[in-house]
Amino acid sequence: MPQRGLVDLNEAVDEFGRHLHAERGVSPHTLRAYLGDLADLCAYASTVGVTEPAEVDVSLLRAWLARQHALGRARATLARRTAAARAFTHHLHRRGLLENDPGLLLGTPKKRRDLPGVLTQDDAARLLETLDAEGPMGLRDLAVLEVLYGTGVRVSELCGLDIDDLDTGRRTVRVLGKGNRERTVPIGEPAVRAVEDWLRAGRPAVATETSGPALFLGARGGRLHPTSARRIVHSRIADAGTMPNLSPHGLRHTAATHLLEGGADLRSVQEILGHASLQTTQLYTHVSAERLKQVHRQAHPRAARDD
């Protein structure tokens, strides 16, 4: 049986916060977010006369979340508040303050997955063909962009590459992805040429005794950091002008979209990108479809009425 009257709801939230900090080791950001969400729940509960943990039930939780929805909270906020309520009621149940766990009966609001921005094929070609590749850093930057776009690797995967990971004869690159899963990704001739130019005339100029086998180096000779790679991409795209300001992940989206537009099957794209689930790769079919609709709207004289 639940222990009634021992603590009120606000005290239970404070105790839950201490539990999250001391035993669960959650980040300060998550802790602040959860405690803010639960403070809002307590405020709502008090308006309907609920002051003790034992009085919390699924009707109260659903009514609170329905009010959040009515107030126009974002889907991501609703999903986080649902997660906070679930974690809280689970803790109350374990502590014996709730006979049953009402959080188990809550559904999870689906987060809307916005379509990622991508470059057109013409924009991608212009970006790479007009990039100023003078000097060691220019050669490196061109190679970085060619590999990101040419292979679709993640920025962390790019920065983790060693020289021996590139097989120029077979035109493949060995990539260590999420969960330490290794995969082999094909790489095109322009990317191979850009990397070879960097290795021949760029890398030796910045390499030091501590550079190790890293394929891409920063200006001081250390392994290129993902933050620096992001800065390179943003800066070079800005230099090209009149195209979306994408991150390295945007170039990954672009590579996947262009593969599908060129006729690649979904399973092959999944293997190239290193997605554990095909569902993640399927997002790019929506990207391609959305771009086709945009072209149709712009080009067809009756598209505006038909759409």
Side-chain angles (χ1 to χ4, degrees), residues 11 18 43 45 61 78 95 113 119 131 150 163 168 177 181 204 226 232 247 273 279 287 293-294:
E11 290 172 343
R18 291 190 291 272
L61 298 177
L78 290 173
R95 288 263 285 105
R113 300 193 69 175
L119 300 179
L131 189 147
I163 295 174
T168 57
R181 291 191 298 268
I232 290 167
S247 65
L273 297 181
Q279 185 177 5
V287 177
K293 285 169 62 179
Q294 183 178 358

Side-chain angles (χ1 to χ4, degrees), residues 140-198:
R140 180 204 62 186
D141 292 359
L142 177 60
V144 164
L145 266 68
E146 283 280 12
V147 172
L148 285 171
Y149 173 60
T151 64
V153 295
R154 302 175 178 93
V155 66
S156 58
E157 296 170 344
L158 172 103
C159 293
L161 291 176
D162 289 336
I163 295 174
D164 289 344
D165 290 328
L166 180 67
D167 186 334
T168 57
R170 295 183 178 181
R171 293 188 190 174
T172 60
V173 61
R174 184 174 62 240
V175 178
L176 189 64
K178 289 184 176 180
N180 287 327
R181 291 191 298 268
E182 186 178 294
R183 69 186 190 277
T184 299
V185 180
I187 184 170
E189 181 61 32
V192 169
R193 284 199 305 270
V195 172
E196 288 180 333
D197 288 344
W198 153 247

Side-chain angles (χ1 to χ4, degrees), residues 38 80 94 102-103 115 122 134 165 191 195 204 217 255 272 286 306:
L38 295 174
R80 191 196 66 225
R94 287 187 60 198
L115 295 176
D122 287 343
E134 292 295 321
D165 290 328
V195 172
L217 304 177
I272 290 172
H286 302 308
D306 296 338

Side-chain angles (χ1 to χ4, degrees), residues 264-281:
D265 64 273
L266 208 57
R267 286 286 183 188
S268 297
V269 175
Q270 178 191 7
E271 291 185 23
I272 290 172
L273 297 181
H275 286 156
S277 169
L278 188 63
Q279 185 177 5
T280 306
T281 317

